[in-house]
Amino acid sequence: MNEKNRTGLPESAAAGGTFADAWKNGKEPGTGPEDFRKLVGFEIVERRMGYAKGELAVKPCHLNVLGVIHGGVLFTIADTTSGTAASTGRPYAVPTVNGSINYLKAGKNTEKITAEAEEIKNGRNFSVCVCKIYDDKGELLATTTMTFFHLMPPEAEGKAI
């Protein structure tokens, strides 16, 4: 690992979009044409410090073999929405260090699902968010609790925020 590549990844991997590389180049991570959110079809529609809301138009690729929204899709949008709530307006990225989900109702016969996340704790090194996911009728499908580490950009390492 050299001074310019603090990710510990080979240069070819580091050039592929790590947070450190994105910061170095002055770009927001995860906003390229192959961004995971875009591949899933998920969009953040509202964000402010400590809060985010996202929406997903449900397509056949989001369903499991039983014809209901795949649990991994629900976890993905909760993780993304919560991470947005924890990082918006902050000088750090927030990789997930822990997440738990409670599936409360099968997501079926819905054209859209909405996730709303709220940060309930912002500490020195970690943030915790809760997220609720609803179908298009307002029925609660799942709740999550997500914990994020505050990953400082390379130039801010060692500085208190």
Side-chain angles (χ1 to χ4, degrees), residues 79-135:
D79 184 32
T80 302
T81 307
S82 296
T84 301
S87 65
T88 297
R90 306 266 171 55
Y92 45 77
V94 290
T96 309
V97 295
N98 192 35
S100 65
I101 188 165
N102 293 301
Y103 299 102
L104 305 173
K105 184 175 181 179
K108 58 183 178 179
N109 303 320
T110 185
E111 294 181 15
K112 179 177 81 172
I113 53 177
T114 303
E116 288 190 75
E118 183 176 357
E119 185 178 59
I120 59 171
K121 172 68 175 172
N122 180 271
R124 178 176 172 87
N125 295 309
F126 295 93
S127 291
V128 178
C129 293
V130 294
C131 184
K132 295 180 180 181
I133 304 169
Y134 301 92
D135 67 11

Side-chain angles (χ1 to χ4, degrees), residues 20-86:
D21 203 48
W23 277 318
K24 179 176 67 178
N25 295 316
K27 297 178 183 175
E28 181 182 348
T31 57
E34 293 300 316
D35 171 22
F36 183 67
R37 289 176 294 186
K38 291 176 187 169
L39 292 173
V40 172
F42 184 64
E43 180 181 2
I44 297 293
V45 296
E46 184 179 347
R47 72 176 77 201
R48 62 182 179 272
M49 191 178 294
Y51 175 84
K53 181 178 180 179
E55 296 177 346
L56 176 79
V58 178
K59 298 179 182 174
C61 66
H62 299 123
L63 306 179
N64 65 19
V65 297
L66 300 174
V68 299
I69 299 169
H70 193 288
V73 171
L74 297 175
F75 193 89
T76 293
I77 68 167
D79 184 32
T80 302
T81 307
S82 296
T84 301

